[in-house]
Amino acid sequence: MKQFIKSLKLLKYGLQFKTMIILTIVFFALGIIFEVTLYGGDMGILSGLYMVLAGVYIYQLMLTPSVSKLVQTSSFRRKMQTIYPMILTELTSLFSFTVFVIIRVARIEARGGRYFDEGTLVSSKGILITAVLAAILIIYDGICFKYYIASFAVMFVALIIIAFRYAAGLSTVFDFADSLSYAQLIGLSYGLLLVGGLICWLISIFAYRKPIDNLSVRTAIRQAQSK
């Protein structure tokens, strides 16, 4: 626990610390605004995606200080590149996802409940689809700093496919969720986030001995210098 607290203190030395914090707050706030203001049939998944992006930025803040000489020679370098970033990202993602779920369920119930019409039913399945997206982002975190280009390409394609397929009726893939209770639906969604965190951790352990991709670090440094 002491080492984890120490690693939290190192967050301020992460690349683009202020930018990452600002982006985390901005996307989280935008997600809430979209979720509470967008009207119509299906409430969509964009708001939830914006909110769970918070965990992605937090991961970078935890990982990048580990490339410093001070951490490279410390006893908890391995944890700084494996378990600690995953824990912090998982906690951040679970928090932001919880806020999303609370708002989404409240809006669905205000409109008449899950089975009021097709829009509210699809909106409830949006909770599960958002969890899938969040799990993909968490897994991406575990590999992006070791295989930057490949991981970014796969993540980008996956998110684009899901986003466009959702607009074209991807939600029908999740029709099994119609028979689930709120507790089962939300429990399954949280389970996906936890599985995403576990996979992220396993990938980071597997790729630990591979050096951090210089391109990922150079990209972060170049973005920081442009601010």
Side-chain angles (χ1 to χ4, degrees), residues 4 52-63 83-96 134 137-139 141-142 193 197 200:
F4 181 66
V52 298
L53 275 173
V56 177
Y57 298 119
I58 292 298
Y59 193 96
Q60 175 176 317
L61 288 180
M62 176 66 80
L63 185 69
I83 186 68
Y84 289 165
M86 184 278 290
I87 291 176
L88 191 58
T89 293
E90 192 74 13
L91 291 175
T92 305
S93 298
L94 287 171
F95 170 77
S96 57
L137 290 172
I138 293 172
I139 294 171
D141 274 337
L193 264 66
C200 171

Side-chain angles (χ1 to χ4, degrees), residues 67-214:
V67 302
S68 68
K69 292 183 179 180
L70 177 63
V71 177
Q72 288 291 314
T73 58
S74 70
S75 60
F76 65 107
R77 173 193 172 212
R78 182 184 181 91
K79 293 180 179 179
M80 280 283 291
Q81 293 189 11
T82 55
I83 186 68
Y84 289 165
M86 184 278 290
I87 291 176
L88 191 58
T89 293
E90 192 74 13
L91 291 175
T92 305
S93 298
L94 287 171
F95 170 77
S96 57
F97 184 73
T98 297
V99 175
F100 164 70
V101 170
I102 291 173
I103 298 174
R104 175 60 59 93
V105 170
R107 291 198 65 197
I108 291 174
E109 291 303 303
R111 287 177 53 180
R114 286 180 67 194
Y115 302 103
F116 177 71
D117 58 23
E118 184 64 24
T120 54
L121 189 59
V122 173
S123 294
S124 67
K125 285 184 285 191
I127 295 174
L128 185 59
I129 298 173
T130 299
V132 172
L133 294 174
I136 291 174
L137 290 172
I138 293 172
I139 294 171
Y140 164 76
D141 274 337
I143 195 173
C144 66
F145 283 91
K146 299 299 180 75
Y147 303 93
Y148 182 70
I149 295 179
S151 62
F152 180 80
V154 172
M155 184 273 296
F156 181 79
V157 171
L159 293 181
I160 290 296
I161 290 176
I162 291 177
F164 276 94
R165 287 292 298 153
Y166 180 85
L170 173 69
S171 56
T172 58
V173 176
F174 296 86
D175 279 348
F176 70 90
D178 294 345
S179 60
L180 300 179
S181 66
Y182 261 137
Q184 292 172 325
L185 176 67
I186 295 173
L188 177 59
S189 298
Y190 277 108
L192 287 172
L193 264 66
L194 294 175
V195 170
L198 176 61
I199 295 175
C200 171
W201 176 54
L202 292 175
I203 290 175
S204 66
I205 290 177
F206 177 78
Y208 170 69
R209 295 191 180 280
K210 186 183 187 305
I212 293 178
D213 194 325
N214 288 330

Side-chain angles (χ1 to χ4, degrees), residues 31-46:
I32 293 177
I33 292 172
F34 288 160
E35 183 64 23
V36 300
T37 60
L38 292 180
Y39 293 95
D42 172 18
M43 296 175 196
I45 58 175
L46 182 62

